Every structure is written in C-alpha cells, then in structure tokens.
Amino acid sequence: MILYNMMEKLVLEELEKVFNKEEYNGCTCERCKADMMALALNKLPAKYVVTEQGEIISKIVATLPQNQVDLLSAVVEASELVKRRPRHLENNENIG
Ligand SMILES: [Zn+2]
C-alpha cells in the first residue's frame, strides 16, 4: 500500500501547464521545479489517499473535489517567487 498526497500530482500538472505557456520565461530546471512544487504544496491542503500499488492514480484525481482557483494561484505564485530568486544560483553568494 502507498500513502500518496494527491495534491502533488495536481500541482505538478498545473506547473507543467505554466511551463508550457509561450509567455513563460522562467527556469524549468529540476531544482527550480522542486522549489516551486514545495512552495505551492505548502500553501495547499494535503489530500492523502491510501492506494494499492498499480492502481491508476489519475482516476482518483478525477474524482477529487478541488478548488482550481486556489491551486492555480498557488502554482503561479510559486513560479513567480522562484523566477525572482532561483535557488539553482545559490552557490553564488552575491546573487539576489
Ligand atoms: Zn533553475
């Protein structure tokens, strides 16, 4: 059995939509992506489910009542924050 936070999948899906927008000019590296996910997830309620291995998680996601506006705004806000202060540059002390 797996304990899984469905919100992670929802945030990841929204984040990929943001990345795919033509006007998006921020970083999409793994570090920035992880930072954006962490920031957005910290603002959203966790939605844990217990699932059996192999079960189709997207099927459960489709049944989740979700507040799309909160989800989208948390993701957009997180991407803006990371864009302004990308931590992939943190080795350079003078950045920011
Ligand atoms: Zn980056």
Side-chain angles (χ1 to χ4, degrees):
M1 302 304 283
I2 309 166
L3 184 59
Y4 186 79
N5 181 3
M6 303 305 294
M7 201 52 94
E8 279 184 35
K9 186 171 170 59
L10 296 173
V11 165
L12 187 61
E13 279 175 4
E14 285 304 321
L15 198 52
E16 274 162 4
K17 282 184 212 163
V18 170
F19 284 179
N20 286 331
K21 283 181 184 162
E22 264 178 50
E23 67 268 25
Y24 181 73
N25 58 1
C27 185
T28 59
C29 79
E30 286 303 307
R31 178 61 204 264
C32 288
K33 195 169 160 182
D35 280 344
M36 289 172 200
M37 286 207 51
L39 281 167
L41 284 166
N42 282 341
K43 295 209 162 199
L44 294 162
K47 295 261 186 217
Y48 281 100
V49 291
V50 177
T51 176
E52 278 181 55
Q53 209 156 11
E55 199 172 345
I56 304 161
I57 284 172
S58 57
K59 215 170 172 180
I60 309 166
V61 169
T63 68
L64 267 182
Q66 57 177 272
N67 191 327
Q68 286 284 1
V69 178
D70 280 357
L71 179 64
L72 188 61
S73 71
V75 169
V76 168
E77 202 177 305
S79 71
E80 290 294 319
L81 268 170
V82 173
K83 195 163 88 179
R84 282 202 297 273
R85 308 203 92 190
R87 286 201 290 172
H88 60 222
L89 297 173
E90 74 182 3
N91 289 337
N92 185 338
E93 297 284 329
N94 296 320
I95 285 285

